[in-house]
Amino acid sequence: MDPTPPLSRRAALAAGAAALAGGLGATAAAQAAARTPEHARSPENARKPEAVRPPEAARPPAAVAALTPQQRAGQCVIHSYPGLTPPASLMNAIEQGRTAGVIFFGENIENLTQIEGVVRSMKAAHANSPVQAPLLLMTDQEGGVVRRLPGEPVMSAKDVGASADPLQWADFTGGGAGMNLAGVGMNVNLAPVLDVYRKTGDFTDQYERSYSKSAAAVASCGTAFIRAQQDVGVAATAKHFPGLGPASASQNTDLRSVTLTTSAATLRGVDEAPYRDAVAAGVKLVMLSWAIYSALDPARPAGLSPTVVSELRDRLGYTGVTITDALEAGALQSFGTTAQRAVAAASAGMDLVLCSSRSVSQGDTAVTALSEALASGGLDGARFDAAAARVNALRTGL
């Protein structure tokens, strides 16, 4: 039996995890619990109701001319780190203004109290930075099995799409994700997935990350998730443009090169359709795929392709922040080193380079490469600074 949608997202969230589980109905609650790790369901990790913190005061950006070359380059790089304690090298990069932000993974999070303390320490270090726009502090909190924080959203995208009222549940899960992240001080969610899957068990469907085989259903659910999440002050990220829906179960860009031969007409009529609605809804970020789309650019993955970036900017009219998928992905094995990939992504028009190997040195390498490319003329300085300005506008608006 499908769960009955809650009447009020905020009221249900305020009631706590127990009330939420009761509201899902016996079947849905059992299904959700079966997919939730034991540590996430334990009482000590239950989300306590609390008011969403107000956004940090927007402060004027540091002038480009006042930044060192490394600081200038760092405005377009996201760092990551191993384990529960951020290394001194990352804290130094934050304090010195050499990074735009940090992505968090499960290995960085013991419980909500612990990660809230980590975030607080990063913000304290950042208070001394010459770049005073708030850090971008992000994670993947899609729902279902793909979530780094315990708690909402418990339902997967597939659960939402199959429910009796997908729009209400998409709104609920989007608001839940936003309030969960905001509760520990994070301000960006790398969600929702807008892939329109084709066959049961394919790449996007096997982890229940897609709302539907219907582009219209994905568009409506994705837009509801985006609006609800951004209503509570957490930026949403639509991914993976122009769409990984056609990818089979074995076509995983994290592991290997993937070429999708979907026609341009199908890509634009089906896979890109949810992004048109997301752009209209004001989505703050769009993540590009690492697949190669032979109908658009047969030589380069989407996130390294000026042609695919133009598809998003010019055909869909998107003016927000673009972000790469993981720079260490197996799909990029033939595209050089970390340094070469970072420069290629920036050259293609990507605003943020996501260094998510859980190594601070990966992010530092990307910063140095971008800095050197700017100094040598390998990167167009005006275009790079325009990208950094878009990132800065996002940061000051959170």
Side-chain angles (χ1 to χ4, degrees):
M1 186 176 82
D2 283 309
T4 301
L7 294 176
S8 166
R9 178 179 74 246
R10 291 176 177 82
L13 286 167
L20 174 64
L24 287 174
T27 302
Q31 291 172 344
R35 288 192 304 275
T36 305
E38 285 298 327
H39 76 274
R41 300 199 301 269
S42 62
E44 62 269 25
N45 280 328
R47 192 76 185 103
K48 294 181 174 61
E50 58 179 283
V52 176
R53 292 180 178 84
E56 295 182 24
R59 294 172 289 189
V64 172
L67 300 179
T68 69
Q70 290 260 317
Q71 289 167 341
R72 181 188 182 195
Q75 304 318 296
C76 292
V77 175
I78 298 295
H79 277 70
S80 62
Y81 66 98
L84 296 175
T85 303
S89 57
L90 176 58
M91 301 305 283
N92 289 338
I94 291 172
E95 186 169 359
Q96 294 166 15
R98 293 185 283 105
T99 185
V102 179
I103 180 171
F104 301 95
F105 289 92
E107 70 176 86
N108 306 131
I109 301 168
E110 184 175 35
N111 53 49
L112 295 171
T113 300
Q114 173 267 336
I115 193 60
E116 185 175 11
V118 169
V119 168
R120 191 181 302 114
S121 70
M122 289 180 175
K123 290 182 177 181
H126 180 66
N128 299 315
S129 170
V131 182
Q132 296 188 354
L135 287 171
L136 297 175
L137 300 170
M138 61 184 65
T139 195
D140 298 273
Q141 194 76 0
E142 298 174 13
V145 297
V146 184
R147 54 196 175 119
R148 314 304 186 195
L149 291 170
E152 285 301 304
V154 174
M155 292 176 73
S156 69
K158 188 168 186 174
D159 289 335
V160 170
S163 70
D165 193 338
L167 289 184
Q168 183 98 31
W169 278 106
D171 175 90
F172 180 83
T173 53
M179 295 182 85
N180 198 357
L181 267 64
V184 297
M186 297 184 196
N187 54 15
V188 177
N189 191 8
L190 298 177
V193 170
L194 297 187
D195 298 338
V196 183
Y197 79 98
R198 305 304 204 265
K199 297 178 182 178
T200 300
D202 68 15
F203 173 70
T204 307
D205 179 62
Q206 63 185 317
Y207 299 108
E208 302 190 358
R209 300 175 74 193
S210 174
Y211 289 109
S212 178
K213 296 178 183 178
S214 160
V218 172
S220 59
C221 288
T223 298
F225 186 104
I226 288 164
R227 285 178 170 151
Q229 182 171 261
Q230 293 188 166
D231 279 351
V232 297
V234 173
T237 307
K239 62 185 187 185
H240 313 78
F241 185 85
L244 285 174
S248 67
S250 63
Q251 289 183 303
N252 184 346
T253 58
D254 287 345
L255 304 178
R256 61 184 60 88
S257 177
V258 172
T259 297
L260 300 177
T261 58
T262 311
S263 70
T266 300
L267 285 172
R268 290 166 179 164
V270 176
D271 297 286
E272 293 181 14
Y275 290 90
R276 287 194 290 270
D277 286 26
V279 169
V283 68
K284 302 290 187 183
L285 301 95
V286 172
M287 176 182 286
L288 274 75
S289 160
W290 283 141
I292 294 172
Y293 297 81
S294 57
L296 300 178
D297 184 341
R300 289 169 290 197
L304 300 183
S305 169
T307 302
V308 180
V309 175
S310 177
E311 185 86 0
L312 175 63
R313 295 288 191 201
D314 299 333
R315 284 187 62 87
L316 273 64
Y318 180 63
T319 60
V321 171
T322 54
I323 183 170
T324 72
D325 206 339
L327 199 66
E328 67 279 4
L332 302 186
Q333 285 176 2
S334 62
F335 290 89
T337 63
T338 291
Q340 291 167 325
R341 295 173 187 184
V343 173
S347 296
M350 300 305 297
D351 298 333
L352 279 172
V353 175
L354 183 61
C355 296
S356 54
S357 70
R358 284 74 138 184
S359 168
V360 178
S361 64
Q362 183 198 28
D364 290 344
T365 297
V367 169
T368 297
L370 293 172
S371 174
E372 291 175 350
L374 287 166
S376 69
L379 276 176
D380 183 293
R383 289 187 63 197
F384 185 87
D385 291 337
R390 285 189 290 271
V391 174
N392 187 80
L394 169 66
R395 293 169 66 178
T396 56
L398 293 174

